[in-house]
Amino acid sequence: MKALEEKILKEGKVLPGNVLKVGSFLNQQIDTAFSMEMGREICRLFGDCGVTKILTVEASGIAFAFAAGAQLGVPVVFAKKHASANISGETYSACVYSYTHQRNYEIVVSKEYIRTDDRLLILDDFLANGNAINGMLEIAAQAGATVVGCGAAIEKGYQGGGDALRRRGYRVESLAIIESMNEGEIVFRKQ
Ligand code: 5GP
C-alpha cells in the first residue's frame, strides 16, 4: 500500500533495537482517516473470504483491526495480555514472546467469543518474528475455528515471521513490508 509506505518514510522513526516507531499514526496517536483507508485495503484483500470475525491482540493491534472489522462488517475480538476481572469462565490461552519487551506473556480470550464455525482473520499492527500471530493461531486452533488468513499493517520482512507463515501455507497480507531498515534508510519489498 503505497500511501502507508509514504507515511512510514515521512513519520516513522527507527529506534535502537530494530524497532520502528510509528506513534504518530498507529501506536499511540491514531490517524483515524488513514486507519479506515488501511481497513478498506484489508477489506479489498479479504472481502470474499467469508470472514466472520477478526482476532487481534491488545493494545496496539486494536485500532487497525477495528478499522478492518468496520469495513468487513464483522466483530473484532482482542486477546488480553493480562488476566483481568473482565475475563471470567473458560478461556483459550497461549504464551507469546514479546519482541518489544523481550519477555514472555500470556494472551487470553474467553471461549464465548470464538466458535468452531468462525472463519477468522488474524491481524496485528506489526509482524516481525511472528510470535504474536503464532500465539493467536494457537488460540484459533484451540477453538477449532478456521483461519482464512493473517495480516499486519507493517511487516518487517527481514525478521522472517511472515515468510515462515507463508511457507506453512497461510495466506499472509501485509500492507507494507520492510525489507531492510536502519537509521538512515528504510527499504520496502516490492509487492
Ligand atoms: P512478532 O511477535 O511478530 O515478533 O512481533 C510483533 C509484535 O511486536 C507486534 O504486536 C508489535 O506490537 C511488536 N513489534 C514488533 N516489532 C515492532 C516494531 O518495529 N515497532 C513497533 N512499534 N512494534 C513492534
Side-chain angles (χ1 to χ4, degrees), residues 127-131 133-134 137 150 155-172 189:
L127 168 54
N129 294 315
N131 297 315
I133 286 186
N134 275 311
L137 284 169
C150 311
E155 177 177 337
K156 294 193 289 182
Y158 58 92
Q159 285 185 239
D163 289 334
L165 288 166
R166 292 180 183 100
R167 281 195 298 274
R168 282 165 59 196
Y170 290 105
R171 179 177 173 195
V172 181
R189 186 182 292 181

Side-chain angles (χ1 to χ4, degrees), residues 13 15 17-23 26-27 57-61 81 96-101 105 124-134 136 154 156 158-159 161-162 178 181:
K13 289 191 181 67
L15 301 182
N18 209 7
V19 169
L20 176 65
K21 186 177 171 211
V22 283
L26 188 64
N27 283 155
V57 63
E58 68 175 358
S60 49
K81 281 183 181 165
V96 170
Y97 179 76
S98 164
Y99 178 80
T100 40
H101 296 104
Y105 60 93
D124 204 0
D125 58 340
F126 273 85
L127 168 54
N129 294 315
N131 297 315
I133 286 186
N134 275 311
M136 290 189 272
I154 304 171
K156 294 193 289 182
Y158 58 92
Q159 285 185 239
I178 296 174
M181 177 173 99

Side-chain angles (χ1 to χ4, degrees), residues 4-84:
L4 177 57
E5 293 184 359
E6 283 164 6
K7 211 162 168 67
I8 291 168
L9 292 177
K10 193 162 158 236
E11 299 180 31
K13 289 191 181 67
V14 180
L15 301 182
N18 209 7
V19 169
L20 176 65
K21 186 177 171 211
V22 283
S24 67
F25 67 95
L26 188 64
N27 283 155
Q28 181 152 29
Q29 173 170 262
I30 311 272
D31 183 330
T32 52
F34 191 72
S35 296
M36 294 320 271
E37 231 179 279
M38 291 197 286
R40 272 192 291 280
E41 183 62 9
I42 291 292
C43 184
R44 187 184 68 77
L45 292 163
F46 288 102
D48 59 358
C49 297
V51 175
T52 61
K53 218 165 257 186
I54 291 174
L55 177 62
T56 189
V57 63
E58 68 175 358
S60 49
I62 295 176
F64 175 55
F66 173 87
Q71 297 296 335
L72 284 164
V74 298
V76 174
V77 175
F78 62 90
K80 291 192 177 250
K81 281 183 181 165
H82 311 282
S84 81

Side-chain angles (χ1 to χ4, degrees), residues 69-134:
Q71 297 296 335
L72 284 164
V74 298
V76 174
V77 175
F78 62 90
K80 291 192 177 250
K81 281 183 181 165
H82 311 282
S84 81
N86 278 338
I87 291 214
S88 55
E90 293 205 54
T91 57
Y92 302 116
S93 65
C95 181
V96 170
Y97 179 76
S98 164
Y99 178 80
T100 40
H101 296 104
Q102 302 192 345
R103 63 174 174 81
N104 287 317
Y105 60 93
E106 202 180 22
I107 59 171
V108 182
V109 176
S110 284
K111 284 191 175 176
E112 64 189 295
Y113 298 126
I114 307 181
R115 296 164 31 141
T116 329
D117 58 355
D118 270 322
R119 292 175 58 78
L120 298 178
L121 173 59
I122 294 179
L123 294 181
D124 204 0
D125 58 340
F126 273 85
L127 168 54
N129 294 315
N131 297 315
I133 286 186
N134 275 311

